[in-house]
Amino acid sequence: MTEILYGKPVADKLKEEIKERVAKLNERNLEPKLTVVRIGNNPNDISYERGILKNCDNLGIKTEVIEKDTDTTTEEMLKLFEELNANKEVSGILLFRPVPKHIDEEALRYAIDPDKDVDCMHPINLARVFESDFSKLVPATPMAAMKVMEYYGVELEGKNVVVVNRSLVFGRPISMMLLKENATPTICHSRTAELSKVTNEADVVIVAMGRARSLGKEYFNENSIIIDVGVSADKDGKIGGDADFDELSDYVKMITPVPRGVGSVTTTILLDQVVKACEILNK
Ligand code: NAP
């Protein structure tokens, strides 16, 4: 029988741990605080922001939202980052991206204090992941997928793990995390030949393509473990993962649903990072 790997129990466990760490910081008169920087009023950003603020509130993490006009210049943003970097009350900074085209996003990536960079946009934080150093801030989505596998006891050591995504925000960093766990990762992408052959030979398949329900039974077998990170709308406008959940949820060994899978853990990882930032800054 297929085991469905829901994200909620994973997030709940992480939240309990976060609460304990916040309490420890409070005992030292320290309060973790997240500053969200939003340029403009994109409804998706606002809805994501609302979720983050509510979760922070539940966990005892202070928050602040700085809203900038869409005509804000790169210089103004750099000045803001300088102030936030210097502000001892701010533990984590989250900038909603992409920023408007006239703003130099690359310059902002280098301007954020790496120890306050909870979204892992500073190149030094990514470089650390590639050096197998996970002691500082790490990218949230790959870490969420790793936490789901850890929670459900997915064995990684010595296993063949196929990652279908080669982006710098997901496929590459998760491959480094998998190496740390002594797995043997294979990175696939849109030019990979015979993808179904590669996925069928894997012990674990981690997909993040953004092509709703495009992978059916021919890509997997009864022993497949599928970690589905993709979130997109199919031709009927229905949100789903890359794997065809309806077709696979009584066929493979394990599968994460979409929604209610990896995505439910990602925001919690972000909050975990805010607390981690506060711990790092006050070592
Ligand atoms: P991206 O940069 O567009 O990456 C998509 C990857 O999938 C690319 O490496 C692409 O290959 C590959 N791909 C696309 N079509 C393919 C095909 N037919 N066969 C094989 N590989 C294919 O996207 P992203 O920003 O990494 O996000 C990927 C997905 O993750 C999206 O659905 C996004 O919504 C989701 N996401 C989820 C969370 C979460 O918390 N669950 C968080 C962030 C993002 P090429 O490199 O060759 O183009």
Side-chain angles (χ1 to χ4, degrees):
M1 216 176 81
T2 304
E3 187 180 355
I4 311 295
L5 315 181
Y6 290 102
K8 189 173 181 300
V10 189
D12 286 348
K13 182 169 179 271
L14 287 167
K15 282 177 185 167
E16 284 314 309
E17 291 165 9
I18 293 172
K19 273 188 199 160
E20 284 168 21
R21 284 160 56 206
V22 171
K24 278 200 181 127
L25 288 165
N26 291 163
E27 279 168 19
R28 295 168 57 202
N29 290 324
L30 297 168
E31 288 184 304
K33 177 177 169 184
L34 172 67
T35 296
V36 175
V37 180
R38 172 165 47 80
I39 305 172
N41 288 311
N42 180 323
N44 288 339
D45 286 350
I46 291 175
S47 141
Y48 181 40
E49 178 183 297
R50 212 175 288 134
I52 292 173
L53 298 187
K54 191 170 149 230
N55 273 300
C56 280
D57 198 35
N58 290 339
L59 297 175
I61 298 171
K62 287 173 70 181
T63 50
E64 158 189 44
V65 177
I66 298 179
E67 189 184 328
K68 304 295 279 181
D69 292 332
T70 44
D71 60 2
T72 302
T73 63
T74 301
E75 287 64 37
E76 284 166 332
M77 287 300 294
L78 290 173
K79 190 161 176 294
L80 172 65
F81 270 32
E82 208 178 300
E83 287 163 11
L84 294 174
N85 288 346
N87 186 338
K88 288 202 167 13
E89 282 185 8
V90 175
S91 329
I93 304 166
L94 173 66
L95 170 70
F96 284 142
R97 291 183 288 162
V99 297
K101 284 202 167 54
H102 67 275
I103 295 178
D104 183 352
E105 193 172 309
E106 254 332 84
L108 299 184
R109 287 183 68 205
Y110 281 89
I112 193 169
D113 177 345
D115 286 342
K116 296 189 177 189
D117 174 26
V118 292
D119 198 25
C120 215
M121 66 179 201
H122 196 296
I124 198 164
N125 280 327
L126 272 180
R128 284 190 182 117
V129 169
F130 280 74
E131 286 175 4
S132 229
D133 173 4
F134 299 96
S135 62
K136 298 276 184 129
L137 303 176
V138 295
T141 308
M143 188 47 90
M146 294 300 290
K147 288 287 179 192
V148 169
M149 291 188 280
E150 183 188 311
Y151 181 89
Y152 287 102
V154 174
E155 222 180 289
L156 291 173
E157 178 145 348
K159 302 293 178 189
N160 289 324
V161 183
V162 164
V163 178
V164 190
N165 179 302
R166 59 172 157 182
S167 75
L168 208 50
V169 291
F170 187 75
R172 296 179 202 220
I174 199 168
S175 300
M176 297 302 116
M177 294 174 183
L178 291 164
L179 280 178
K180 179 93 190 319
E181 297 305 320
N182 297 318
T184 305
T186 301
I187 304 179
C188 298
H189 45 79
S190 63
R191 308 285 178 89
T192 297
E194 297 187 80
L195 183 63
S196 61
K197 189 164 176 273
V198 183
T199 52
N200 257 300
E201 282 168 5
D203 297 300
V204 180
V205 182
I206 304 174
V207 285
M209 293 156 43
R211 292 178 175 266
R213 295 183 188 86
S214 58
L215 306 179
K217 273 187 177 169
E218 66 277 24
Y219 287 84
F220 306 101
N221 57 62
E222 288 85 347
N223 294 316
S224 300
I225 297 175
I226 307 172
I227 306 297
D228 196 345
V229 178
V231 184
S232 60
D234 65 12
K235 56 182 178 354
D236 303 320
K238 200 173 154 206
I239 294 290
D242 295 332
D244 188 336
F245 186 81
D246 293 342
E247 193 174 306
L248 296 163
S249 57
D250 61 355
Y251 177 62
V252 295
K253 188 173 175 195
M254 295 176 163
I255 185 168
T256 59
V258 179
R260 298 200 291 153
V262 177
S264 346
V265 183
T266 307
T267 308
T268 311
I269 296 288
L270 184 78
L271 307 189
D272 172 273
Q273 302 270 78
V274 178
V275 178
K276 193 171 179 186
C278 187
E279 290 164 347
I280 291 170
L281 292 162
N282 294 285
K283 243 186 183 158

